[in-house]
Amino acid sequence: MSRAGQSRIFRAVVGGAAAALVITAAPVTSASGQAEQGPGHDRGAGQVTGKATYRHLEAFQQIADDNDGTRATGTPGYEASGRYVERQLRKAGYRTERQYFDVETFTVDEVAIEVPGVDLDPVPFSYSSSTDGTVEAELVAPSNPLGCTDAQWDGVEATGKIAVVSRGECPFADKTVAAAEAGAAAVIVYNNTTGALNGTLGNPIEGSAPGVGVTQAEGEALLGAMDAGPVTGSFLLQTSIETQETFNVLAETRGGDPDNVVMLGAHLDSAPEGPGISDNATGSAAVLETAIQLAKGNRGKGKGHSKHGRKHDRGPATINNKVRFAWWGAEELGLHGSNHYVADLQANAPEELDKLAVYLNFDMVGSPNYVIGVYDANESTYEAGVEVPQGSIEAEKVFTDHFDAIGQPWVDMEYSGRSDYAAFIDAGVASTGLFTGADGTKTEEEAALFGGTAGLTYDPNYHAAGDDINNVSKEALDINARAIGAVARQLAYSTEAINGVKPPKTHPGKGHGKKKDRKDKKEKRKGPRSKRR
């Protein structure tokens, strides 16, 4: 998950208030105390299991081990990850496609930040600008600790100084711009929860101050020193940006209605700091295993069309709707792969965008201190940070109904659009997904539901070198992998609840039956096309 995305997703929890929980029936437990799955747990799920999914995680770990410990965009580890996914898909009978695009990659060339009496381990924001040499200046805080707007700097003389502001309320980019407009030469943002603060501006931003993140404890130490009197520190940050070519990996079922497409996606790249097994080999592996198992029920002959208009074999009628799979590139650099995919359709094939019935996003589904989270499209717990497209509430319900049916507790996660479903939301495509948590803090209520440790982050190794094969909950992976498999098969059969398109009423292989008018489907999309990316 991108750093920018995580900065907003746990707004309600990080702010100190316990999240309101949607609590389903408790699972039945065996004598051993392990949760037993209720009737229908495997119904429609095929062989998508945590065990099979975990084997892909082991492969991704080996790839990282062989490539300097990372699978980040622009590295040999990312190329090898793409080849692994493609190889597995082809063995399952898929045709694969690479969608290439350019992205600006960010490198920290030098960082040295010192404040007398305070030990700091700063993490530069991705796409941060550079300082003009070393800044030797007094530390200063805004009138409002968040420092998001010009008004929150009113009455503060910050010219040439080093700003110290709190995480929260607005993106990191806004904080660096507001600090620069107040005259600050650099900015230190401290976390408002436990753990390191890994931030990104999403893209290079003209007029922003060079910025880094520090922990909450480090921020409190800085503020304490400033309260005792003027504090002078030094701040050196040198960065560089270059344009590189990278890619998404795409595949789709041979059968199914090409005019009614179910799409599943997960980002394939890791953060540069580590192997990225929790974030996001778990999502990539779960989507991959779902594709493999779905292909086993997708044999046969007939005529159909891919999104590019090529004819191919149509599978059995149980796969009524075409299912498309995506492994996104450059998510950690700012959702670039998914943004490119949607923008390309909008520019070159807008009619194909209208054929997407739903997009399902899986960004972290095996966090070690996990919750079972579903994006809160109906806003029953969190107010959405974006306009929720028509059909998203119904898509959310497909997952929550699955969990309810097997007695699996779940909680809402904010429908923020801060992962690869953002571009689809902006384009009016019904969207939902699963999420087990990143650098937010687990509550007592959540620990009571799912076990684990309250007061600790969901993933203590988020965006760190320790995000390796040992940084995954096999239990959470199994729960989510099964859910993804079950929901994929359900929607491959029918999306009627989401977009009104009914499954065929004829015999298998005889067509797709009567569908709701495609014009009605288009009218469900929120927002004029001119506002789409």
Side-chain angles (χ1 to χ4, degrees):
M1 171 164 284
S2 67
R3 293 162 174 165
Q6 193 53 30
S7 70
R8 294 287 297 279
I9 279 196
F10 287 97
R11 202 161 53 201
V13 176
V14 165
L21 300 178
V22 178
I23 303 176
T24 69
V28 178
T29 56
S30 66
S32 66
Q34 296 297 313
E36 292 180 347
Q37 304 300 346
H41 176 63
D42 283 324
R43 190 175 299 158
Q47 297 299 314
V48 181
T49 65
K51 183 177 181 180
T53 304
Y54 189 81
R55 287 196 288 268
H56 299 306
L57 298 189
E58 293 175 320
F60 285 129
Q61 179 64 58
Q62 187 61 56
I63 288 170
D65 290 344
D66 293 341
N67 291 279
D68 297 322
T70 187
R71 300 183 305 104
T73 297
T75 68
Y78 184 75
E79 171 65 30
S81 296
R83 289 183 180 179
Y84 174 78
V85 170
E86 291 164 337
R87 186 165 59 251
Q88 298 300 311
L89 290 170
R90 288 168 185 160
K91 286 167 62 177
Y94 288 93
R95 298 187 182 99
T96 65
E97 175 188 347
R98 284 195 181 190
Q99 183 184 41
Y100 287 93
F101 60 95
D102 290 336
V103 65
E104 292 181 315
T105 56
F106 172 82
T107 302
V108 176
D109 300 313
E110 188 176 7
V111 58
I113 299 171
E114 296 181 357
V115 176
V118 179
D119 290 329
L120 297 175
D121 186 18
V123 180
F125 290 161
S126 294
Y127 296 113
S128 173
S129 57
S130 298
T131 55
D132 185 10
T134 300
V135 175
E136 299 276 356
E138 182 182 347
L139 273 58
V140 63
S143 51
N144 180 314
L146 295 169
C148 289
T149 64
D150 291 344
Q152 293 177 344
W153 282 95
D154 283 350
V156 177
E157 175 51 54
T159 302
K161 297 180 181 179
I162 301 170
V164 179
V165 304
S166 172
R167 177 185 184 179
E169 189 176 282
C170 66
F172 300 123
D174 292 358
K175 296 179 187 294
T176 60
V177 170
E181 290 178 346
V187 59
I188 299 172
V189 180
Y190 57 90
N191 210 343
N192 55 5
T193 186
T194 56
L197 178 53
N198 298 289
T200 182
L201 306 188
N203 289 287
I205 297 178
E206 187 176 354
S208 62
V212 300
V214 299
T215 66
Q216 187 176 43
E218 290 168 339
E220 291 172 349
L222 290 174
L223 295 175
M226 293 162 65
D227 287 342
V231 176
T232 297
S234 63
F235 191 115
L236 171 65
L237 178 58
Q238 298 295 301
T239 65
S240 58
I241 294 173
E242 65 175 310
T243 300
Q244 290 188 348
E245 184 180 66
T246 189
F247 59 90
N248 300 320
V249 176
L250 302 171
E252 59 186 25
T253 56
R254 293 177 180 267
D257 183 0
D259 292 328
N260 196 52
V261 180
V262 175
M263 191 165 189
L264 289 71
H267 75 85
L268 184 59
D269 61 318
S270 73
E273 292 86 353
I277 301 303
S278 172
D279 181 18
N280 180 40
T282 55
S284 292
V287 172
L288 178 57
E289 186 61 24
T290 297
I292 291 169
Q293 297 304 325
L294 202 60
K296 292 181 179 180
N298 191 32
R299 311 295 186 189
K301 295 183 179 181
K303 293 183 179 180
H305 294 83
S306 74
K307 62 186 175 62
H308 299 293
R310 293 190 297 267
K311 291 184 177 181
H312 53 68
D313 292 343
R314 182 182 298 283
T318 50
I319 308 293
N320 297 320
N321 305 309
K322 185 169 292 295
V323 184
R324 187 171 300 152
F325 307 93
W327 290 265
W328 306 119
E331 188 272 353
E332 296 291 3
L333 298 178
L335 314 181
H336 293 289
S338 52
N339 284 341
H340 175 78
Y341 177 83
V342 173
D344 181 63
L345 288 184
Q346 288 172 324
N348 300 308
E351 70 282 0
E352 295 297 333
L353 193 63
D354 289 323
K355 295 175 184 178
L356 293 180
V358 64
Y359 173 69
L360 310 177
N361 193 64
F362 306 107
D363 191 350
M364 303 182 67
V365 294
S367 306
N369 196 29
Y370 73 91
V371 295
I372 301 300
V374 185
Y375 294 155
D376 187 16
N378 66 4
E379 302 177 89
S380 59
T381 302
Y382 302 102
E383 181 179 354
V386 295
E387 185 176 13
V388 179
Q390 189 76 22
S392 300
I393 292 173
E394 292 77 9
E396 174 193 2
K397 191 172 185 296
V398 177
F399 276 110
T400 58
D401 282 353
H402 167 81
F403 289 134
D404 289 347
I406 64 172
Q408 172 60 54
W410 55 273
V411 296
D412 280 322
M413 287 298 194
E414 184 185 356
Y415 197 93
S416 63
R418 297 287 174 168
S419 185
D420 282 307
Y421 64 126
F424 293 90
I425 291 173
D426 288 349
V429 178
S431 302
T432 190
L434 303 178
F435 179 43
T436 51
D439 64 348
T441 303
K442 195 167 199 175
T443 67
E444 294 285 353
E445 293 90 345
E446 290 167 343
L449 281 176
F450 306 108
T453 306
L456 294 183
T457 56
Y458 302 107
D459 185 349
N461 290 294
Y462 175 66
H463 282 192
D467 185 8
D468 57 22
I469 196 69
N470 300 310
N471 190 50
V472 172
S473 166
K474 291 184 178 180
E475 181 179 21
L477 186 69
D478 185 64
I479 293 168
N480 283 313
R482 290 177 183 272
I484 293 166
V487 167
R489 283 200 181 273
Q490 180 177 338
L491 296 179
Y493 177 77
S494 175
T495 61
E496 182 177 5
I498 295 173
N499 66 352
V501 176
K502 297 180 180 180
K505 295 181 180 180
T506 56
H507 293 293
K510 299 294 185 179
H512 292 281
K514 185 178 180 181
K515 301 180 180 66
K516 198 169 184 178
D517 193 301
R518 194 65 55 178
K519 181 179 178 182
D520 293 341
K521 180 183 173 184
K522 292 180 181 179
E523 288 175 352
K524 283 187 174 185
R525 300 287 168 81
K526 287 191 175 183
R529 188 175 297 278
S530 61
K531 291 186 178 180
R532 299 176 186 172
R533 291 180 184 172

